[in-house]
Amino acid sequence: AATKRKRGAPAPRPKKRAKTAPVAPQSDGKPDPEGAGPEEYSIPPPVSQGKWKNKERVLIFSSRGINFRTRHLMQDLRTLMPHSKADTKMDRKDQLFVINEVCEMKNCNKCIFFEAKKKQDLYMWLSNTPQGPSAKFLVQNVHTLAELKMTGNCLRGSRPLLSFDPTFDKEPHYALLKELFIQVFSTPQYHPKSQPFVDHVFTFTVTDERIWFRNYQIIEEDASLVEIGPRFVLNLIKIFQGSFGGPTLYENPHYRSPNMHRRLLRLSVAAKFREKQQVKEVQMIKKKGSKVLMEEDPTDVVFETPAEEKPVEVQLEKPESKPIVKDKKKPRKIQRKKQKKLFRTEV
């Protein structure tokens, strides 16, 4: 029987029916009475049923005073690394060991810290907090994801392959950096924010005593590579035993600070300018100086050869005059000319 409702109260909603699986028909077209009971749809299991055991978390943040390119690079690394965390910028007056406490509060055991100096030099710290080790790099030639020449694309949160140069297995300090790169940049397996796909490669190449970082997309059709970005060059400065400090394990002998590099450039320009000024002064001295006339030219005697001395003879008599020889053909020539003139006048 229909229940009465109070005046002004909303009408009761009808109850939803449970979804039932379709009944498989028999061969004659009628439904099977045995399997006519209602069946609920089963929810499919998740793609990865494994446990997230390697709980690596990376804190990526910077100090104050960075430029727009560094900010975009930091944002690109956060996009490519689903196991990363962000934090506010750190004041430049704070000491670096404070970062260990920040990582502990954020529950992170790895850290990438960008340090800006003079608004033009960028340094990057890679650290295993809080025990260490840590490495300090000078970052050069930064290109971000937003540039047009980076035409590749990859799935957000996918796991990358890490490709290392054979040099990383030959020297001990490169072997330490390789292990540090693996722990920082590799996405842990079964991470909640990651995808179970591998479609891009992080490459670390050693050239000219520097580490070149590149990110490539793997195309399924022909397994070719297309660069995604970002790209940058890491110039190693020092490797420390502790996190953001401690005893120095390795110091790069080929490293030259940006201040020294700029100073050498200024000195080279100043040396060129000084050389030009000296040349001008020498030319002015030459123009103002009086010309010195040499009394005797030493080169005059070069072609003189000693000759035999002849006795001096004095001629007392007048030399005989030569007889004048007349030209016998001359009168004939005169006559011919006269005849020609007469002939012309007559004609």
Side-chain angles (χ1 to χ4, degrees), residues 54-328:
N54 180 20
K55 297 191 177 183
E56 295 281 353
R57 299 182 183 89
V58 183
L59 180 64
I60 303 176
F61 71 119
S62 68
S63 65
R64 296 194 180 276
I66 61 173
N67 54 7
F68 72 97
R69 191 176 291 274
T70 307
R71 186 172 65 251
H72 286 213
L73 173 64
M74 186 170 57
Q75 191 61 37
D76 293 345
L77 290 178
R78 289 173 183 169
T79 306
L80 292 173
M81 300 165 65
H83 60 294
S84 64
K85 288 188 177 183
D87 193 23
T88 56
K89 295 179 181 178
M90 195 180 75
D91 196 357
R92 284 181 289 184
K93 296 180 181 179
D94 295 339
Q95 299 295 327
L96 290 178
F97 63 83
V98 181
I99 302 175
N100 295 326
E101 299 177 4
V102 178
C103 293
E104 186 178 357
M105 288 188 294
K106 289 284 184 178
N107 198 17
C108 295
N109 49 9
K110 298 292 184 296
C111 180
I112 299 178
F113 177 67
F114 292 95
E115 185 180 7
K117 291 184 179 179
K118 294 187 176 181
K119 296 185 178 180
Q120 54 183 346
D121 302 331
L122 178 63
Y123 298 91
M124 186 173 76
W125 287 83
L126 287 180
S127 177
N128 180 23
T129 58
Q131 295 86 10
S134 59
K136 185 180 181 182
F137 301 92
L138 174 67
V139 185
Q140 299 171 330
N141 302 334
V142 177
H143 298 274
T144 58
L145 276 168
E147 296 189 10
L148 294 177
K149 57 185 175 184
M150 309 292 185
T151 57
N153 192 10
C154 67
L155 182 66
R156 185 185 180 95
S158 59
R159 304 181 68 236
L161 293 175
L162 299 184
S163 174
F164 290 93
D165 194 85
T167 315
F168 281 93
D169 299 327
K170 296 179 181 178
E171 299 185 16
H173 63 279
Y174 281 132
L176 176 61
L177 290 178
K178 178 181 178 181
E179 184 63 29
L180 191 60
F181 288 146
I182 289 173
Q183 294 183 13
V184 171
F185 287 97
S186 63
T187 303
Q189 195 173 10
Y190 305 122
H191 192 277
K193 293 183 180 179
S194 66
Q195 300 289 340
F197 304 104
V198 177
D199 57 354
H200 63 288
V201 186
F202 289 162
T203 62
F204 299 89
T205 311
V206 178
T207 306
D208 193 20
E209 305 296 335
R210 291 171 174 81
I211 300 173
W212 300 62
F213 176 84
R214 296 289 185 272
N215 181 21
Y216 297 98
Q217 176 196 358
I218 303 173
I219 300 177
E220 296 181 0
E221 287 78 8
D222 51 354
S224 60
L225 300 177
V226 179
E227 189 170 1
I228 304 173
R231 59 158 70 170
F232 50 88
V233 179
L234 299 177
N235 191 0
L236 178 64
I237 302 174
K238 284 183 180 181
I239 300 177
F240 300 96
Q241 184 177 355
S243 177
F244 295 97
T248 303
L249 297 179
Y250 176 78
E251 185 174 0
N252 188 7
H254 306 282
Y255 171 72
R256 182 185 294 169
S257 65
N259 292 333
M260 180 62 69
H261 181 67
R262 287 190 287 267
R263 180 174 176 271
L264 292 176
L265 289 179
R266 288 195 300 269
L267 288 177
S268 64
V269 173
K272 289 181 181 179
F273 179 74
R274 201 179 302 113
E275 186 179 355
K276 288 182 180 179
Q277 290 297 111
Q278 290 177 356
V279 171
K280 287 183 180 179
E281 290 175 1
V282 171
Q283 290 177 353
M284 292 297 293
I285 292 171
K286 285 183 178 180
K287 288 181 180 179
K288 291 180 180 179
S290 59
K291 296 181 180 179
V292 181
L293 297 176
M294 300 177 65
E295 296 178 357
E296 294 182 0
D297 190 1
T299 59
D300 290 344
V301 201
V302 175
F303 298 102
E304 290 184 0
T305 54
E308 297 180 358
E309 294 183 359
K310 295 181 179 180
V312 180
E313 296 180 357
V314 180
Q315 191 174 2
L316 301 176
E317 296 180 357
K318 185 180 179 181
E320 296 179 358
S321 60
K322 293 181 180 180
I324 300 171
V325 181
K326 293 183 179 180
D327 190 5
K328 296 181 180 179

Side-chain angles (χ1 to χ4, degrees), residues 338-347:
K338 288 181 179 179
Q339 290 177 359
K340 287 180 180 179
K341 286 182 180 179
L342 291 172
F343 179 74
R344 288 174 184 171
T345 52
E346 289 176 0
V347 174

